[in-house]
Structures are given as structure tokens and as C-alpha cells.
Amino acid sequence: MSHTTKVARHLSGLRNARYGEILLISPCEDGQVKASVYNTSGLNDCPLELWNALDPRALAEQLQVPMVFLNGPRFWTIDEVTAFAWGDIATFDSLEARCVAEVRIPPEIDPTGAAAKTFYVDTTVKRDTEYVLSRKKPVYALVAPGDRTYILQAYSHTVDDSQTLDSLATLGQRLRLPRGWEYRVRTLEEDLVVRTVSGEAHVVQDELENTYMLLHPRDGAPS
């Protein structure tokens, strides 16, 4: 996937906005697996009638890739995003989405669903973005051993479509966290800016497929 560097693209008012991701999965030269990630944000609100009509097997055959994975619907828990590089827009049946990232899928994670997925696994995502979480609003985080803090960037309806923005306050009571991990909720006193490092983000998912991004020490701690 080739990214285009142009004038930065900025989206605001994202908190609780619905979107979907279409992942085109293919093998890497080293035998591992990667995915090109297409995101509907900024193009549409991932209309459910269009999303639910997508057939991943038919799309994979049409696009001549080994596999297509539908990730969503999802809902942002950040307030703003600036993208400094991005790819082309594609239409999946009638749903438009833009190529925004490339993910190298760790061998511990099975995207086919044939075997149990492994959650709380750090995955590298190639993208160049800056997220903003606004002051006086809650931030939800996983804190891993070594004080590594992962900020919730989106919650998902893939596993549980009853999740809401309000339910995130008690999400920690539902999660089967690895030993030494904690789920924390804080209300921000100042804006929190989370920027990728050298064009890469590190993300993890919990068992409900909510997604968290690693907070770099340079970005400061949520307060």
C-alpha cells in the first residue's frame, strides 16, 4: 500500500461517531500476514444497511486477495484526528472507505477466526496520525506492566452491540485482564495529544475487540 503525503487531513467531533474498517489481508514476503486498512471516517457514517450487506468472501474474490475481514461497526472515543499521510478511496459494493494504514498481524492473532484469537497482544500499525482527546472529557485506558499506557481509541460492536459510550465507565468489570494489567478511567484536565512515532502506532485489543493505542512517554500521562 502506498500512502500519499499532502496537506494534513483533520476531522473533529469524532467522539462516539460510528465507522467501519475493511481489512484486505495478504501474505508478506517473509511468510507473515499483513492487512491494508480501509476506514469510512470522513466519507460516511458506515450506514448499517450498507455495512451489513458486505460479504467478505465475495469481496476477497472480487479484489483478488486471500481474505477480507470486516472490523466494525466501531465508535471513536477520541475527539479529533489529523492524518499526515493516507491512501486512495475504494468502494466496497456501495460503501466508500479510504486506505489509512497497514497492519502487520502478529502470528499469535488468527484473523480467520478458525482458532482462538489472542487479545492484549501489541500490534504495529503503519500510519502517521495525531489523536486529540479533549479536556473535561473521560479517557479510558489499559495500563500494562512497566507503566505502559494504552488509550482507548474506539469501542466495537463486532462482539457486543450493546456497548455504548456510557458503558465504558464500568468496562473494566467485564474484562479478563492479563496479570498485572489495569483498566482506568480519568477525566482530563488538559487536552491529551497522542501522536504516532516514526510513522507507527502500537495497538492492542481487549476480548470485546475494543482498540487501544500506546501512549508514548513524550505525550505525557492522562490527568
Side-chain angles (χ1 to χ4, degrees), residues 65-221:
V65 295
M67 181 182 173
V68 169
F69 179 75
L70 302 179
N71 184 23
R74 307 182 65 78
F75 299 81
W76 289 111
T77 53
I78 63 173
D79 296 287
E80 303 176 36
V81 61
T82 301
F84 300 96
W86 61 91
D88 295 331
I89 295 173
T91 301
F92 302 90
D93 291 340
S94 298
L95 185 67
E96 283 192 329
R98 187 189 306 274
C99 194
V100 296
E102 183 175 283
V103 180
R104 178 67 67 97
I105 300 175
E108 302 98 313
I109 296 178
D110 177 18
T112 69
K117 291 183 179 180
T118 302
F119 301 105
Y120 307 101
V121 174
D122 190 293
T123 302
T124 300
V125 180
K126 291 184 178 180
R127 57 176 165 85
D128 191 1
T129 56
E130 181 177 274
Y131 291 166
V132 176
L133 294 95
S134 298
R135 61 188 295 269
K136 296 186 178 181
K137 293 185 179 180
V139 59
Y140 313 94
L142 292 176
V143 181
D147 283 333
R148 289 177 298 131
T149 300
Y150 293 85
I151 300 298
L152 183 66
Q153 65 183 40
Y155 70 91
S156 175
H157 275 185
T158 305
V159 176
D160 180 4
D161 63 7
S162 72
Q163 285 201 102
T164 65
L165 193 63
D166 290 340
S167 72
L168 299 177
T170 56
L171 175 61
Q173 300 172 19
R174 301 185 59 191
L175 301 179
R176 297 184 298 275
L177 295 172
R179 186 180 184 88
W181 289 59
E182 296 180 39
Y183 180 81
R184 296 179 184 173
V185 182
R186 298 284 188 273
T187 298
L188 294 172
E189 296 178 3
E190 303 292 341
D191 288 354
L192 177 63
V193 179
V194 186
R195 178 72 193 266
T196 51
V197 179
S198 300
E200 292 186 346
H202 289 265
V203 303
V204 298
Q205 285 193 337
D206 62 29
E207 59 267 35
L208 299 178
E209 299 192 20
N210 305 313
T211 303
Y212 307 74
M213 176 179 168
L214 182 65
L215 184 66
H216 192 274
R218 152 205 82 189
D219 299 323

